[in-house]
Amino acid sequence: MSHVPVKSALISVYHKENLEPLLEILSNNNVTIYSTGGTRKFIEESGLEVKTVEGLTGYPSIFGGRVKTLHPNIMGGILYRRSEANDVMQAGEYDIPSIDLVVVDLYPFSATLSSGASHEEIIEKIDIGGISLIRAAAKNYNDVLIVSSMSQYDEALKILSENNCNTSIEQRKKFAAYAFSISSQYDTEIFNYFNTEAQLPHFKKSFSTATTLRYGENPHQEGVFYGNLEEMFNQLHGKAISYNNLVDIDAAVALMEEFAEDTVFSILKHTNACGVATADTIKEAYQKAFEADTVSAFGGVLISNVEVNKEAALEINKLFFEILIAPGFGNEALEILKSKKNRILLVQSQGLSARLQFKSILNGVIQQERDVETESPEQFSEVTKRKPTADETIAMVFANKIVKHTKSNAIVLARNGQMIGSGVGQTSRVDAVKQAISKARAFGFDVTDAVMASDAFFPFADSAEIAFNEGVRAIVQPGGSVRDMDTVKFCDEHDMTMVFTGKRHFKH
């Protein structure tokens, strides 16, 4: 029998918002309602008839509420198979009533964890009875409808209203899928909390919010984003965000997190910065970033770490770009930038909080900690005879932050708070140096007295030699090559300064 009537319901929820309409449709159809604790009181105060779970089990809520519904009269009423004669006989023998609808949610474990609560408080928010009821009802979807979250109330109400409290097998199976999604995520959250100490070698991630994208990296690929963008951004204008947009946005936000104090503007293309600059005003910072590569900026992703004002918006509006991210937009700036209907304008309200990164590879998953190390001047090892000047040190810190977020093999040239050239994703470090110099020349920059940053060590002195011949006199790199001293010797012989950071920043 695919359609079954709901004659009895067990309702026990932590979140009671918007529960009343569901209660009313059940009451109007003479459904027997069982409940306990706060939910029972809520139903009574709504003026509806409700029977106590304690009256059904013969036991009160015990152990501080830890045990309320774990009883054969409850679990049996949910789990017994109405189509199995032996199950029906046993239910009658032990006077176990059928329960056709279960409306149960879970204690807010994740919210409690995020609130900074104590370990004891967190443990008490691990739901036992609720998760058991949800799994039991979902397992027996042939006979029982499970509503496992307040987000499902409207859909459940529509089904029950349109069918006089009868449900189909397809509907019950769909709600069972909802239930197992919720239970699996809940268990994942609990496991990951315990595993911060246990460090078991198991990979478990779960996301309950999903956005279907227009397509993946290419139009013939399907794409989905799992996560809640609205927690990080408020989209003020523009088209739906695409897969490639998301990847670029992530790269832009990660880069900008390196710059907390100065006014900085960056332009990215395919996750690599093609322009980064700092200045006294956001307009000037944008102009300097744009000058670094006026070609690649076309169709790029832009990000500012301060509010975009009218003066900056007038300049930025001259460029065709995909996305602009900022902590805010002035009213006049917003009106100017909205002139192109597809432009995506995002107000960023949160930074990147995930500690780990992971991706699928070789039929499995690799995971690593995010690279959150950024070297300060105090961590620089001055390995050459000539020591860096104050201006060179500032420029090296600036360039080193950018090269960290550039695809390997990577080189960045910078001077006076402006990236003037970059070598990106090259198969040799020499090629990356040559590309950075070539890009700088192409956009009218003299490389003389620029600093050069490298994401990894120089295996030979040739990169330093190429840079010297173009006028570079200061280098920042991780060090660590067996031939480090060859590069140090070259720098000493040519009055160059070089510092080692001790940290490599590969990015693939």
PDB file of all heavy atoms in Angstrom, residues 40-68:
ATOM      1  N   ARG A  40       5.425  19.475  24.427  1.00  0.00           N
ATOM      2  CA  ARG A  40       4.079  19.195  24.928  1.00  0.00           C
ATOM      3  C   ARG A  40       3.457  20.460  25.511  1.00  0.00           C
ATOM      4  O   ARG A  40       2.285  20.776  25.251  1.00  0.00           O
ATOM      5  CB  ARG A  40       4.135  18.090  25.986  1.00  0.00           C
ATOM      6  CG  ARG A  40       2.767  17.800  26.623  1.00  0.00           C
ATOM      7  CD  ARG A  40       2.879  16.747  27.716  1.00  0.00           C
ATOM      8  NE  ARG A  40       3.789  17.148  28.765  1.00  0.00           N
ATOM      9  CZ  ARG A  40       3.480  18.006  29.746  1.00  0.00           C
ATOM     10  NH1 ARG A  40       2.278  18.581  29.783  1.00  0.00           N
ATOM     11  NH2 ARG A  40       4.359  18.308  30.669  1.00  0.00           N
ATOM     12  N   LYS A  41       4.231  21.197  26.284  1.00  0.00           N
ATOM     13  CA  LYS A  41       3.723  22.441  26.872  1.00  0.00           C
ATOM     14  C   LYS A  41       3.351  23.437  25.785  1.00  0.00           C
ATOM     15  O   LYS A  41       2.315  24.120  25.867  1.00  0.00           O
ATOM     16  CB  LYS A  41       4.785  23.043  27.791  1.00  0.00           C
ATOM     17  CG  LYS A  41       4.344  24.308  28.501  1.00  0.00           C
ATOM     18  CD  LYS A  41       5.451  24.830  29.418  1.00  0.00           C
ATOM     19  CE  LYS A  41       5.008  26.125  30.094  1.00  0.00           C
ATOM     20  NZ  LYS A  41       6.089  26.687  30.955  1.00  0.00           N
ATOM     21  N   PHE A  42       4.166  23.537  24.752  1.00  0.00           N
ATOM     22  CA  PHE A  42       3.904  24.441  23.634  1.00  0.00           C
ATOM     23  C   PHE A  42       2.590  24.078  22.943  1.00  0.00           C
ATOM     24  O   PHE A  42       1.787  24.952  22.599  1.00  0.00           O
ATOM     25  CB  PHE A  42       5.066  24.369  22.633  1.00  0.00           C
ATOM     26  CG  PHE A  42       4.890  25.220  21.416  1.00  0.00           C
ATOM     27  CD1 PHE A  42       5.223  26.567  21.426  1.00  0.00           C
ATOM     28  CD2 PHE A  42       4.394  24.669  20.231  1.00  0.00           C
ATOM     29  CE1 PHE A  42       5.067  27.351  20.294  1.00  0.00           C
ATOM     30  CE2 PHE A  42       4.233  25.446  19.093  1.00  0.00           C
ATOM     31  CZ  PHE A  42       4.573  26.784  19.122  1.00  0.00           C
ATOM     32  N   ILE A  43       2.362  22.779  22.731  1.00  0.00           N
ATOM     33  CA  ILE A  43       1.137  22.327  22.063  1.00  0.00           C
ATOM     34  C   ILE A  43      -0.081  22.618  22.942  1.00  0.00           C
ATOM     35  O   ILE A  43      -1.122  23.089  22.453  1.00  0.00           O
ATOM     36  CB  ILE A  43       1.225  20.819  21.736  1.00  0.00           C
ATOM     37  CG1 ILE A  43       2.369  20.564  20.736  1.00  0.00           C
ATOM     38  CG2 ILE A  43      -0.095  20.313  21.154  1.00  0.00           C
ATOM     39  CD1 ILE A  43       2.674  19.091  20.513  1.00  0.00           C
ATOM     40  N   GLU A  44       0.057  22.372  24.223  1.00  0.00           N
ATOM     41  CA  GLU A  44      -1.044  22.656  25.143  1.00  0.00           C
ATOM     42  C   GLU A  44      -1.382  24.141  25.161  1.00  0.00           C
ATOM     43  O   GLU A  44      -2.573  24.533  25.150  1.00  0.00           O
ATOM     44  CB  GLU A  44      -0.682  22.182  26.555  1.00  0.00           C
ATOM     45  CG  GLU A  44      -0.680  20.668  26.709  1.00  0.00           C
ATOM     46  CD  GLU A  44      -0.199  20.221  28.071  1.00  0.00           C
ATOM     47  OE1 GLU A  44       0.475  21.018  28.766  1.00  0.00           O
ATOM     48  OE2 GLU A  44      -0.495  19.072  28.437  1.00  0.00           O
ATOM     49  N   GLU A  45      -0.348  24.970  25.150  1.00  0.00           N
ATOM     50  CA  GLU A  45      -0.573  26.416  25.162  1.00  0.00           C
ATOM     51  C   GLU A  45      -1.154  26.914  23.849  1.00  0.00           C
ATOM     52  O   GLU A  45      -1.725  28.005  23.798  1.00  0.00           O
ATOM     53  CB  GLU A  45       0.741  27.140  25.464  1.00  0.00           C
ATOM     54  CG  GLU A  45       1.208  26.953  26.905  1.00  0.00           C
ATOM     55  CD  GLU A  45       2.564  27.577  27.175  1.00  0.00           C
ATOM     56  OE1 GLU A  45       3.219  27.997  26.194  1.00  0.00           O
ATOM     57  OE2 GLU A  45       2.956  27.643  28.354  1.00  0.00           O
ATOM     58  N   SER A  46      -1.038  26.102  22.809  1.00  0.00           N
ATOM     59  CA  SER A  46      -1.668  26.432  21.533  1.00  0.00           C
ATOM     60  C   SER A  46      -3.142  26.047  21.520  1.00  0.00           C
ATOM     61  O   SER A  46      -3.837  26.270  20.518  1.00  0.00           O
ATOM     62  CB  SER A  46      -0.940  25.713  20.384  1.00  0.00           C
ATOM     63  OG  SER A  46       0.416  26.118  20.301  1.00  0.00           O
ATOM     64  N   GLY A  47      -3.593  25.437  22.608  1.00  0.00           N
ATOM     65  CA  GLY A  47      -5.002  25.065  22.726  1.00  0.00           C
ATOM     66  C   GLY A  47      -5.355  23.755  22.060  1.00  0.00           C
ATOM     67  O   GLY A  47      -6.534  23.476  21.802  1.00  0.00           O
ATOM     68  N   LEU A  48      -4.357  22.914  21.803  1.00  0.00           N
ATOM     69  CA  LEU A  48      -4.605  21.648  21.116  1.00  0.00           C
ATOM     70  C   LEU A  48      -4.415  20.485  22.082  1.00  0.00           C
ATOM     71  O   LEU A  48      -3.674  20.566  23.059  1.00  0.00           O
ATOM     72  CB  LEU A  48      -3.646  21.503  19.927  1.00  0.00           C
ATOM     73  CG  LEU A  48      -3.720  22.621  18.873  1.00  0.00           C
ATOM     74  CD1 LEU A  48      -2.661  22.405  17.808  1.00  0.00           C
ATOM     75  CD2 LEU A  48      -5.102  22.704  18.252  1.00  0.00           C
ATOM     76  N   GLU A  49      -5.080  19.375  21.767  1.00  0.00           N
ATOM     77  CA  GLU A  49      -5.004  18.191  22.604  1.00  0.00           C
ATOM     78  C   GLU A  49      -3.716  17.432  22.329  1.00  0.00           C
ATOM     79  O   GLU A  49      -3.307  17.253  21.179  1.00  0.00           O
ATOM     80  CB  GLU A  49      -6.216  17.288  22.351  1.00  0.00           C
ATOM     81  CG  GLU A  49      -6.303  16.100  23.303  1.00  0.00           C
ATOM     82  CD  GLU A  49      -7.552  15.268  23.076  1.00  0.00           C
ATOM     83  OE1 GLU A  49      -8.483  15.770  22.419  1.00  0.00           O
ATOM     84  OE2 GLU A  49      -7.578  14.109  23.547  1.00  0.00           O
ATOM     85  N   VAL A  50      -3.066  16.972  23.383  1.00  0.00           N
ATOM     86  CA  VAL A  50      -1.814  16.246  23.235  1.00  0.00           C
ATOM     87  C   VAL A  50      -1.710  15.209  24.339  1.00  0.00           C
ATOM     88  O   VAL A  50      -2.126  15.450  25.478  1.00  0.00           O
ATOM     89  CB  VAL A  50      -0.604  17.217  23.268  1.00  0.00           C
ATOM     90  CG1 VAL A  50      -0.558  18.016  24.558  1.00  0.00           C
ATOM     91  CG2 VAL A  50       0.700  16.465  23.053  1.00  0.00           C
ATOM     92  N   LYS A  51      -1.174  14.051  24.017  1.00  0.00           N
ATOM     93  CA  LYS A  51      -0.938  12.996  24.993  1.00  0.00           C
ATOM     94  C   LYS A  51       0.540  12.959  25.350  1.00  0.00           C
ATOM     95  O   LYS A  51       1.402  13.200  24.504  1.00  0.00           O
ATOM     96  CB  LYS A  51      -1.369  11.640  24.442  1.00  0.00           C
ATOM     97  CG  LYS A  51      -2.875  11.524  24.218  1.00  0.00           C
ATOM     98  CD  LYS A  51      -3.252  10.111  23.817  1.00  0.00           C
ATOM     99  CE  LYS A  51      -4.772   9.966  23.685  1.00  0.00           C
ATOM    100  NZ  LYS A  51      -5.170   8.574  23.378  1.00  0.00           N
ATOM    101  N   THR A  52       0.831  12.630  26.597  1.00  0.00           N
ATOM    102  CA  THR A  52       2.224  12.625  27.032  1.00  0.00           C
ATOM    103  C   THR A  52       2.922  11.343  26.613  1.00  0.00           C
ATOM    104  O   THR A  52       2.333  10.257  26.605  1.00  0.00           O
ATOM    105  CB  THR A  52       2.326  12.771  28.560  1.00  0.00           C
ATOM    106  OG1 THR A  52       1.781  11.600  29.175  1.00  0.00           O
ATOM    107  CG2 THR A  52       1.581  14.006  29.046  1.00  0.00           C
ATOM    108  N   VAL A  53       4.199  11.481  26.274  1.00  0.00           N
ATOM    109  CA  VAL A  53       5.025  10.316  25.993  1.00  0.00           C
ATOM    110  C   VAL A  53       5.156   9.462  27.252  1.00  0.00           C
ATOM    111  O   VAL A  53       5.167   8.223  27.193  1.00  0.00           O
ATOM    112  CB  VAL A  53       6.406  10.761  25.474  1.00  0.00           C
ATOM    113  CG1 VAL A  53       7.402   9.599  25.504  1.00  0.00           C
ATOM    114  CG2 VAL A  53       6.289  11.312  24.062  1.00  0.00           C
ATOM    115  N   GLU A  54       5.217  10.124  28.406  1.00  0.00           N
ATOM    116  CA  GLU A  54       5.350   9.403  29.669  1.00  0.00           C
ATOM    117  C   GLU A  54       4.158   8.473  29.897  1.00  0.00           C
ATOM    118  O   GLU A  54       4.314   7.370  30.431  1.00  0.00           O
ATOM    119  CB  GLU A  54       5.472  10.400  30.822  1.00  0.00           C
ATOM    120  CG  GLU A  54       6.776  11.196  30.838  1.00  0.00           C
ATOM    121  CD  GLU A  54       6.745  12.416  29.922  1.00  0.00           C
ATOM    122  OE1 GLU A  54       5.739  12.602  29.185  1.00  0.00           O
ATOM    123  OE2 GLU A  54       7.720  13.179  29.923  1.00  0.00           O
ATOM    124  N   GLY A  55       2.978   8.913  29.458  1.00  0.00           N
ATOM    125  CA  GLY A  55       1.801   8.068  29.590  1.00  0.00           C
ATOM    126  C   GLY A  55       1.868   6.852  28.702  1.00  0.00           C
ATOM    127  O   GLY A  55       1.299   5.795  29.008  1.00  0.00           O
ATOM    128  N   LEU A  56       2.613   6.970  27.606  1.00  0.00           N
ATOM    129  CA  LEU A  56       2.766   5.862  26.662  1.00  0.00           C
ATOM    130  C   LEU A  56       3.838   4.876  27.121  1.00  0.00           C
ATOM    131  O   LEU A  56       3.720   3.666  26.930  1.00  0.00           O
ATOM    132  CB  LEU A  56       3.125   6.426  25.280  1.00  0.00           C
ATOM    133  CG  LEU A  56       3.020   5.508  24.069  1.00  0.00           C
ATOM    134  CD1 LEU A  56       1.601   4.994  23.885  1.00  0.00           C
ATOM    135  CD2 LEU A  56       3.466   6.258  22.821  1.00  0.00           C
ATOM    136  N   THR A  57       4.897   5.413  27.754  1.00  0.00           N
ATOM    137  CA  THR A  57       6.020   4.553  28.130  1.00  0.00           C
ATOM    138  C   THR A  57       5.918   4.054  29.569  1.00  0.00           C
ATOM    139  O   THR A  57       6.518   3.036  29.918  1.00  0.00           O
ATOM    140  CB  THR A  57       7.353   5.318  27.990  1.00  0.00           C
ATOM    141  OG1 THR A  57       7.360   6.427  28.898  1.00  0.00           O
ATOM    142  CG2 THR A  57       7.535   5.825  26.569  1.00  0.00           C
ATOM    143  N   GLY A  58       5.204   4.806  30.414  1.00  0.00           N
ATOM    144  CA  GLY A  58       5.154   4.453  31.828  1.00  0.00           C
ATOM    145  C   GLY A  58       6.364   4.905  32.597  1.00  0.00           C
ATOM    146  O   GLY A  58       6.539   4.563  33.763  1.00  0.00           O
ATOM    147  N   TYR A  59       7.255   5.692  31.934  1.00  0.00           N
ATOM    148  CA  TYR A  59       8.454   6.211  32.574  1.00  0.00           C
ATOM    149  C   TYR A  59       8.492   7.719  32.427  1.00  0.00           C
ATOM    150  O   TYR A  59       8.147   8.255  31.370  1.00  0.00           O
ATOM    151  CB  TYR A  59       9.726   5.632  31.936  1.00  0.00           C
ATOM    152  CG  TYR A  59      10.063   4.236  32.388  1.00  0.00           C
ATOM    153  CD1 TYR A  59       9.545   3.136  31.718  1.00  0.00           C
ATOM    154  CD2 TYR A  59      10.918   4.032  33.465  1.00  0.00           C
ATOM    155  CE1 TYR A  59       9.862   1.847  32.124  1.00  0.00           C
ATOM    156  CE2 TYR A  59      11.244   2.739  33.881  1.00  0.00           C
ATOM    157  CZ  TYR A  59      10.706   1.645  33.204  1.00  0.00           C
ATOM    158  OH  TYR A  59      11.018   0.388  33.608  1.00  0.00           O
ATOM    159  N   PRO A  60       8.963   8.424  33.445  1.00  0.00           N
ATOM    160  CA  PRO A  60       9.158   9.865  33.295  1.00  0.00           C
ATOM    161  C   PRO A  60      10.453  10.141  32.529  1.00  0.00           C
ATOM    162  O   PRO A  60      11.243   9.225  32.271  1.00  0.00           O
ATOM    163  CB  PRO A  60       9.268  10.344  34.746  1.00  0.00           C
ATOM    164  CG  PRO A  60       9.899   9.185  35.456  1.00  0.00           C
ATOM    165  CD  PRO A  60       9.315   7.948  34.796  1.00  0.00           C
ATOM    166  N   SER A  61      10.668  11.386  32.167  1.00  0.00           N
ATOM    167  CA  SER A  61      11.958  11.798  31.633  1.00  0.00           C
ATOM    168  C   SER A  61      12.990  11.666  32.738  1.00  0.00           C
ATOM    169  O   SER A  61      12.821  12.197  33.834  1.00  0.00           O
ATOM    170  CB  SER A  61      11.878  13.249  31.142  1.00  0.00           C
ATOM    171  OG  SER A  61      13.146  13.711  30.763  1.00  0.00           O
ATOM    172  N   ILE A  62      14.073  10.935  32.470  1.00  0.00           N
ATOM    173  CA  ILE A  62      15.049  10.656  33.535  1.00  0.00           C
ATOM    174  C   ILE A  62      16.457  11.075  33.127  1.00  0.00           C
ATOM    175  O   ILE A  62      16.726  11.370  31.961  1.00  0.00           O
ATOM    176  CB  ILE A  62      15.036   9.156  33.931  1.00  0.00           C
ATOM    177  CG1 ILE A  62      15.312   8.267  32.702  1.00  0.00           C
ATOM    178  CG2 ILE A  62      13.701   8.791  34.562  1.00  0.00           C
ATOM    179  CD1 ILE A  62      15.382   6.781  33.035  1.00  0.00           C
ATOM    180  N   PHE A  63      17.338  11.083  34.118  1.00  0.00           N
ATOM    181  CA  PHE A  63      18.745  11.430  33.921  1.00  0.00           C
ATOM    182  C   PHE A  63      18.902  12.824  33.303  1.00  0.00           C
ATOM    183  O   PHE A  63      19.665  13.017  32.357  1.00  0.00           O
ATOM    184  CB  PHE A  63      19.464  10.377  33.057  1.00  0.00           C
ATOM    185  CG  PHE A  63      19.324   8.978  33.567  1.00  0.00           C
ATOM    186  CD1 PHE A  63      18.949   7.958  32.703  1.00  0.00           C
ATOM    187  CD2 PHE A  63      19.554   8.681  34.901  1.00  0.00           C
ATOM    188  CE1 PHE A  63      18.808   6.664  33.168  1.00  0.00           C
ATOM    189  CE2 PHE A  63      19.424   7.382  35.374  1.00  0.00           C
ATOM    190  CZ  PHE A  63      19.044   6.378  34.510  1.00  0.00           C
ATOM    191  N   GLY A  64      18.159  13.777  33.867  1.00  0.00           N
ATOM    192  CA  GLY A  64      18.272  15.155  33.391  1.00  0.00           C
ATOM    193  C   GLY A  64      17.792  15.334  31.973  1.00  0.00           C
ATOM    194  O   GLY A  64      18.278  16.211  31.257  1.00  0.00           O
ATOM    195  N   GLY A  65      16.829  14.507  31.556  1.00  0.00           N
ATOM    196  CA  GLY A  65      16.289  14.608  30.202  1.00  0.00           C
ATOM    197  C   GLY A  65      17.044  13.791  29.177  1.00  0.00           C
ATOM    198  O   GLY A  65      16.690  13.806  27.990  1.00  0.00           O
ATOM    199  N   ARG A  66      18.075  13.056  29.592  1.00  0.00           N
ATOM    200  CA  ARG A  66      18.841  12.264  28.633  1.00  0.00           C
ATOM    201  C   ARG A  66      18.030  11.090  28.076  1.00  0.00           C
ATOM    202  O   ARG A  66      18.279  10.646  26.961  1.00  0.00           O
ATOM    203  CB  ARG A  66      20.123  11.738  29.281  1.00  0.00           C
ATOM    204  CG  ARG A  66      21.211  12.790  29.425  1.00  0.00           C
ATOM    205  CD  ARG A  66      22.520  12.156  29.837  1.00  0.00           C
ATOM    206  NE  ARG A  66      23.651  13.065  29.663  1.00  0.00           N
ATOM    207  CZ  ARG A  66      24.919  12.684  29.642  1.00  0.00           C
ATOM    208  NH1 ARG A  66      25.213  11.400  29.766  1.00  0.00           N
ATOM    209  NH2 ARG A  66      25.886  13.564  29.479  1.00  0.00           N
ATOM    210  N   VAL A  67      17.087  10.588  28.846  1.00  0.00           N
ATOM    211  CA  VAL A  67      16.268   9.455  28.392  1.00  0.00           C
ATOM    212  C   VAL A  67      14.796   9.843  28.511  1.00  0.00           C
ATOM    213  O   VAL A  67      14.293  10.057  29.614  1.00  0.00           O
ATOM    214  CB  VAL A  67      16.551   8.175  29.199  1.00  0.00           C
ATOM    215  CG1 VAL A  67      15.662   7.035  28.700  1.00  0.00           C
ATOM    216  CG2 VAL A  67      18.019   7.792  29.087  1.00  0.00           C
ATOM    217  N   LYS A  68      14.139   9.942  27.349  1.00  0.00           N
ATOM    218  CA  LYS A  68      12.711  10.280  27.326  1.00  0.00           C
ATOM    219  C   LYS A  68      11.933   9.354  26.389  1.00  0.00           C
ATOM    220  O   LYS A  68      10.866   8.867  26.730  1.00  0.00           O
ATOM    221  CB  LYS A  68      12.519  11.734  26.873  1.00  0.00           C
ATOM    222  CG  LYS A  68      12.990  12.773  27.859  1.00  0.00           C
ATOM    223  CD  LYS A  68      12.745  14.186  27.369  1.00  0.00           C
ATOM    224  CE  LYS A  68      13.756  14.571  26.298  1.00  0.00           C
ATOM    225  NZ  LYS A  68      13.692  16.020  25.978  1.00  0.00           N
TER     226      LYS A  68
END
